Amino acid sequence: MPAPAEDPRRRIPRTDALLALDGVRAATAALSEHVVRGLVRAVQDRARRGEIAPEQVEDALLATLASRGASSLRPVLNATGVIVHTNLGRAPLSDAARRALVDAAGYTDVELDLATGTRGRRGAGARAALLAACPAAEDALIVNNGAAALMLACLALAGEGEVIVSRGELIEIGAGFRLPDLITAAGTRLREVGTTNRTHLADYEQAIGEETGAICSIHTSNYRVIGFTASQGPAQLAPLAHEHSLPLIADLGSGLLRPDPALPDEPDAATALEAGADVVITSGDKLLGGPQAGIVLGTAEAVARLARHPIARAVRADKLALAAVEATLSGPEPPVLQALHADPAMLRARTERVAATLADAGVPAETVEHEGRVGGGGGAEVPLPGWAVRVDGALAPLLRTGDVPVVGTVRDDGCLLDLRCVPERDEERLIEAVLEARARLGAGAAGAERRENENAQVAQEEH
Ligand SMILES: *Cc1c(COP(=O)(O)O)cnc(C)c1O
C-alpha cells in the first residue's frame, strides 16, 4: 500500500514565522497588531481551503499588507462630472482646508485664548470667517451637518410646538432620509400646508395658531416641480412670520452664501437673510465646498437660542470641521466652486489633450460633449456644459477597481470620463489609470482566449 501523501496544510507557515518576516514587521509600523494578525489568519485560511498553495502564503500576505492602509477609505478620481457626489464624499477640500485639518489634528487652541490663557469661544475663527463671508448674518453657529442644524433650529425655536411646512417641500434627501421625519423625530410637530404643486401665502396664514412655533421654508434641492406651480420663499414668508411674532427658518440645503451667476435659481444665505429669515441653514460639504458641517446663519437672538439648547452640544462640530470650514472660506476658491465655474473651452482643451495622449498610447479615445451636474444639494437638473473622453465601456469596472480608482459614467457601450472634477494635477494619474485598465483588459482577453484554446485542445483530445 502506498504511504499516505503528506497533508499539504502542514506546510502552511506558522503565525510566528510570518510575523517575524521583515516585510511584515515593516507593515506593522502602520497597522495595529490585531489587524496584522487578522490578515495573517485570513491568508492562512485561504491556504487551508486550498485556494493558494502553502508556498504562496508569504507572498500573498505581503501583497495584502502592501495594499492595506490603516483606513479603508481610498482616494478616488471623480470622472463623473457630478460635482457634489454624495457617494464619493461630496466636496473635495481645498489645499488650504487640508492643511488646516492636519494642523488641527493634534492639540490645538480650539477652546483656549492663547493671549490671555483663559477659555476661548469654541470655533471663534470659523464663526468670524462665516460672518466675513456673509455680512448679512448677525451671528453664526456650526454643527455636525445640515440635518442636525435643521433639527436643532426646530427644537430651539418651536420646541414641541408646530412647524409649518409646505407639502411641496417635504423632501427625501437621500438614502431614505426624509426631512419631515427628521423634524418630528426630535419632538417638533409638523403642520403641512398647501399641495404638492401649489402652496399660497394664505395656506400658511390659515395654519397659524396657538400651537405654531415657527415657519420653515425648505429648498427643494434635489428635484424641481414645473408646470402649474406656486410656492412661497423667505421673501414672502418673512413678513407673515414676523407679523405673528414667529421665527422663519430657511433650509437652503446647498450652501451658497452669496448669489452665484452660474446658478441663477439657487437660493443663497445673504438673500434669504436680507429677505428676513431669522435662521438660514446650509450644508458645509455641498456648494460651500468644505467639510461635512451644518452652517447656521441668522439674527443674534435666534442663533443664541440654538446655541443655548441642550441638543447643541450633542450636534456640535468637531475641531477638524471647524478648522476646515474656516480655511475653506478664508483660502482661495475651493475645488467645488472651481468645478462649477470651469470654462467649457478650457475643459474641452483638457479633454482633447487627454484623449490624444490615450490615442497615441493605443487606447481608442474620443472627445464627446457631456453635461456636468452640481449634484446632491443644489442646482437640481441644471446642466453644466462640458466634455468627456469616451473610451471602451468594458474599461469601466477595471477603472473602478484599479490602483487609482476612477469612477466615470457608462453610457451606451462607452465609458465617459469627465475632467470637470479631476484636478489638472491628477490628469497624469487618470491617463495612467486608463492605460493600466486597458492592459488588464488586454490580459483578461488574452487569458480568456488562451483558456478557450486550451479547452478546445482538451476537447479535441477527448474526441
Ligand atoms: C442636503 C440637505 C439637508 C441635509 O444636509 P446634510 O448636511 O446632508 O445633513 C437638509 N436640507 C436640504 C434642503 C438639503 O438639501
Side-chain angles (χ1 to χ4, degrees):
M1 225 172 80
E6 186 230 3
D7 185 347
R9 286 179 297 188
R10 297 181 60 176
R11 301 201 311 274
I12 296 173
R14 298 168 59 92
T15 304
D16 288 350
L18 289 170
L19 290 175
L21 293 172
D22 279 351
V24 177
R25 298 229 314 263
T28 53
L31 292 170
S32 89
E33 191 178 326
H34 76 269
V35 170
V36 176
R37 282 183 179 274
L39 294 172
V40 166
R41 256 196 317 277
V43 176
Q44 288 169 327
D45 284 345
R46 285 174 61 198
R48 279 191 199 103
R49 289 194 299 269
E51 290 167 22
I52 54 173
E55 291 68 32
Q56 292 173 308
V57 165
E58 236 182 80
D59 284 348
L61 177 62
L62 291 173
T64 306
L65 286 168
S67 65
R68 170 73 205 235
S71 163
S72 63
L73 289 181
R74 295 174 60 194
V76 169
L77 293 182
N78 173 9
T80 62
V82 179
I83 302 174
V84 179
H85 199 306
T86 296
N87 299 159
L88 296 179
R90 289 196 180 163
L93 295 182
S94 65
D95 287 342
R98 287 168 198 241
R99 279 194 298 273
L101 270 186
V102 172
D103 288 345
Y107 293 120
T108 185
D109 56 344
V110 66
E111 284 186 29
L112 182 70
D113 182 340
L114 290 172
T116 61
T118 55
R119 184 175 186 141
R121 178 174 175 158
R122 186 180 175 86
R127 172 178 172 272
L130 274 170
L131 297 181
C134 184
E138 290 172 8
D139 203 353
L141 180 69
I142 301 170
V143 296
N144 180 58
N145 61 5
L150 180 61
M151 180 185 78
L152 178 62
C154 290
L155 273 175
L157 300 179
E160 287 172 6
E162 286 179 354
V163 172
I164 304 178
V165 185
S166 160
R167 289 198 172 90
E169 299 175 0
L170 298 173
I171 71 175
E172 177 170 308
I173 50 179
F177 285 101
R178 295 170 167 181
L179 293 191
D181 296 346
L182 177 81
I183 294 170
T184 53
T188 302
R189 281 174 297 146
L190 193 64
R191 178 70 187 264
E192 301 175 15
V193 296
T195 61
T196 308
N197 58 328
R198 286 170 73 83
T199 304
H200 307 282
L201 197 59
D203 294 322
Y204 289 90
E205 194 162 12
Q206 281 156 23
I208 293 175
E210 288 283 289
E211 302 288 298
T212 312
I215 297 178
C216 186
S217 157
I218 301 175
H219 174 46
T220 54
S221 53
N222 51 11
Y223 69 100
R224 282 193 330 157
V225 180
I226 55 170
F228 187 52
T229 63
S231 60
Q232 313 301 317
Q236 291 80 38
L237 295 173
L240 176 69
H242 297 156
E243 197 181 301
H244 293 86
S245 304
L246 292 169
L248 174 66
I249 302 167
D251 178 5
L252 305 185
S254 70
L256 281 185
L257 297 182
R258 296 175 289 274
D260 191 313
L263 297 172
D265 296 328
E266 196 65 17
D268 67 279
T271 305
L273 289 165
E274 276 154 15
D278 296 86
V279 158
V280 164
I281 289 164
T282 65
S283 292
D285 53 358
K286 292 180 181 171
L287 285 172
L288 195 86
Q292 177 186 305
I295 310 286
V296 179
L297 295 158
T299 63
E301 196 220 322
V303 174
R305 279 170 72 184
L306 266 64
R308 274 200 309 267
H309 194 279
I311 289 296
R313 174 57 197 249
V315 297
R316 78 175 187 183
D318 79 317
K319 62 178 180 176
L320 301 180
L322 293 171
V325 166
E326 179 178 358
T328 299
L329 295 168
S330 307
E333 186 174 58
V336 161
L337 294 178
Q338 284 177 16
L340 176 66
H341 298 145
D343 171 15
M346 284 278 287
L347 281 177
R348 181 176 193 168
R350 286 181 61 198
T351 308
E352 282 174 345
R353 215 162 53 219
V354 169
T357 308
L358 288 172
D360 284 348
V363 180
E366 56 174 339
T367 300
V368 296
E369 278 185 79
H370 185 246
E371 283 173 353
R373 284 283 187 273
V374 174
E381 305 306 311
V382 177
L384 304 172
W387 305 86
V389 181
R390 187 180 188 281
V391 294
D392 184 352
L395 292 174
L398 297 162
L399 282 167
R400 216 175 50 236
T401 52
D403 281 341
V404 177
V406 177
V407 179
T409 306
V410 176
R411 185 166 305 157
D412 302 328
D413 299 333
C415 175
L416 303 180
L417 302 173
D418 188 316
L419 299 186
R420 178 181 299 278
C421 308
V422 178
E424 255 183 282
R425 65 181 174 210
D426 284 336
E427 253 171 41
E428 267 315 303
R429 295 171 72 212
L430 177 79
I431 291 167
E432 273 163 30
V434 178
L435 296 180
E436 195 222 352
R438 168 71 185 197
R440 282 166 67 208
L441 181 67
E449 203 169 296
R450 200 167 50 239
R451 274 191 300 280
E452 229 156 73
N453 289 339
E454 280 164 10
N455 288 344
Q457 225 166 352
V458 170
Q460 267 170 9
E461 280 164 16
E462 279 172 358
H463 273 252

